[in-house]
């Protein structure tokens, strides 16, 4: 009698083909319900460019309060595992493109200077495929410097015939997410958390004005603004740009001299 079930593939053989993916890895139930933006194919590497954000203790405290407050009113959010600020869309690189792609990025970034940007205003986002909704913190300071970097990254994307970044980007750090397009529902739920008709005073980037906000983040913004130690500002020291492609991460240190604008090519 022959066995009715297949024997497992030895680990030593699996290690020889790291690009091969078990079909179970495509099962969204194994990834919190998340769905791939594009099907995995051997030799295709999902790639994006970003600034990492390392949270501090105050951030962890603020996130706990934000998640618990949302959950109490029926909005279940999953905290983002790795916090970052994206400077590109997620694109697909062929394996043999990785080296020239990263070399092109390195050359373009060689004269870019380090800077600091900050974020404090919550905003709701949804990905292009409408498979996930995010609660993010939008950048208010450092926008011009980020646009300069986008021009550099976009030049490399164009060189390899890949999608460039969004035309009118809203730079942000995603804090938490839920599966599906719940943009409208999330805004409605968060409005219900707000004490009815209680306006939020918002300090704008270029001037200070009092505005009535009836958008996505009423009570969530109150959690941020009314933190026991004062309004919370998420600060990123933009000294090292990173490129994640598959399971590889490339690091590009920015010049520590005073910022002088984008490089000329």
């Amino acid at each position: 009698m022959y066995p009715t079930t297949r024997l497992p593939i030895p680990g030593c053989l699996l290690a020889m083909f790291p690009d091969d993916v078990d079909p179970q890895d495509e099962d969204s139930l194994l990834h919190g319900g998340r769905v791939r933006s594009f099907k995995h194919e051997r030799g295709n590497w999902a790639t994006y460019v970003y600034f990492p954000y390392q949270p501090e203790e105050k951030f962890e405290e603020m996130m706990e309060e934000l998640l618990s407050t949302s959950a109490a009113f029926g909005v279940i959010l999953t905290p983002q595992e790795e916090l970052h600020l994206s400077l590109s869309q997620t694109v697909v690189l062929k394996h043999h493109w990785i080296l020239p792609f990263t070399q092109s990025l390195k050359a373009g970034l060689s004269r870019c200077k380090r800077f600091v940007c900050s974020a404090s205003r919550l905003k709701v986002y949804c990905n292009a495929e409408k498979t996930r909704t995010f609660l993010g913190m939008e950048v208010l300071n450092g926008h011009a410097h980020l646009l300069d970097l986008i021009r550099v990254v976009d030049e490399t994307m164009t060189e390899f015939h890949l999608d460039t970044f969004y035309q009118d980007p809203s730079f942000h750090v995603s804090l938490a997410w839920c599966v599906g397009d719940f943009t409208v529902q999330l805004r409605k739920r968060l409005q219900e958390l707000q004490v009815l008709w209680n306006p939020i005073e918002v300090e704008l980037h270029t001037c200070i004005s009092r505005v009535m906000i009836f958008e996505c983040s009423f009570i969530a913004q109150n959690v941020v603004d009314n933190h026991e130690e004062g309004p919370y500002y998420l600060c990123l020291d933009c000294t090292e740009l990173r490129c994640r492609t598959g399971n590889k991460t490339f690091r590009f240190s920015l010049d520590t001299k005073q910022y002088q604008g984008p490089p000329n090519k």
Side-chain angles (χ1 to χ4, degrees):
M1 293 290 291
Y2 292 99
T4 57
T5 58
R6 292 187 301 172
L7 295 175
I9 300 174
C12 60
L13 292 180
L14 290 174
M16 295 172 62
F17 304 98
D19 287 343
D20 288 343
V21 175
D22 190 316
Q24 289 184 346
D25 290 343
E26 299 292 329
D27 188 350
S28 64
L29 295 178
L30 300 178
H31 304 281
R34 289 172 292 183
V35 179
R36 285 183 181 271
S37 298
F38 38 82
K39 185 178 180 180
H40 174 84
E41 294 182 11
R42 186 178 178 185
N44 284 353
W45 293 59
T47 303
Y48 61 98
V49 180
Y50 66 99
F51 276 122
Y53 172 66
Q54 298 298 329
E56 54 188 11
E57 184 177 350
K58 292 180 181 179
F59 175 85
E60 300 292 347
E61 295 173 358
M62 189 273 292
M63 277 299 300
E64 288 181 6
E65 186 178 355
L66 183 63
L67 294 176
S68 62
T69 302
S70 298
F73 287 85
V75 181
I76 307 301
L77 297 172
T78 301
Q80 196 79 359
E81 294 179 2
E82 186 179 78
L83 300 169
H84 65 272
L85 189 156
S86 295
L87 292 178
S88 77
Q89 298 194 59
T90 299
V91 297
V92 177
L93 274 186
K94 297 293 185 181
H95 185 270
H96 61 278
W97 287 356
I98 294 176
L99 180 58
F101 181 88
T102 53
Q103 288 177 335
S104 176
L105 273 180
K106 182 178 180 179
L109 296 168
S110 62
R111 292 184 61 248
C112 292
K113 313 299 179 182
R114 64 176 291 184
F115 60 95
V116 175
C117 64
S118 63
S120 63
R121 183 169 56 202
L122 292 173
K123 193 170 182 178
V124 175
Y125 299 88
C126 189
N127 63 359
E129 296 79 20
K130 307 297 183 183
T131 57
R132 279 204 289 169
T133 306
F134 300 85
L135 181 64
M137 189 168 281
E138 188 178 26
V139 169
L140 296 181
N141 297 310
H143 196 271
H145 299 339
L146 291 170
L147 286 176
D148 288 339
L149 284 176
I150 289 297
R151 295 186 189 101
V152 174
V153 175
D154 278 355
E155 286 181 1
T156 293
M157 294 293 181
T158 301
E159 179 182 347
F160 287 83
H161 306 286
L162 299 170
D163 290 337
T164 56
F165 206 48
Y166 307 104
Q167 289 296 316
D168 187 20
S170 172
F171 297 110
H172 64 280
V173 175
S174 292
L175 306 178
W177 58 275
C178 57
V179 175
D181 182 5
F182 290 96
T183 307
V184 175
Q185 295 92 325
L186 185 56
R187 289 176 177 175
K188 181 180 179 181
R189 293 291 180 87
L190 289 174
Q191 285 181 358
E192 293 171 359
L193 300 175
Q194 165 66 23
V195 178
L196 288 177
W197 315 118
N198 181 25
I200 301 172
E201 295 183 5
V202 178
E203 182 172 314
L204 300 178
H205 176 52
T206 55
C207 63
I208 297 177
S209 64
R210 295 185 178 182
V211 295
M212 298 288 288
I213 299 180
F214 301 100
E215 294 182 350
C216 60
S217 51
F218 272 141
I219 205 64
Q221 189 68 53
N222 273 338
V223 170
V224 175
D225 291 344
N226 298 326
H227 191 260
E228 61 182 5
E229 297 184 11
Y232 184 83
Y233 290 87
L234 185 155
C235 294
L236 289 89
D237 188 2
C238 302
T239 60
E240 182 184 80
L241 197 67
R242 296 183 185 179
C243 176
R244 174 76 54 81
T245 177
N247 58 3
K248 301 178 184 293
T249 301
F250 296 86
R251 294 171 168 81
F252 308 95
S253 296
L254 302 186
D255 197 326
T256 56
K257 297 179 181 179
Q258 185 178 359
Y259 179 83
Q260 296 176 347
N264 296 318
K265 283 195 172 184

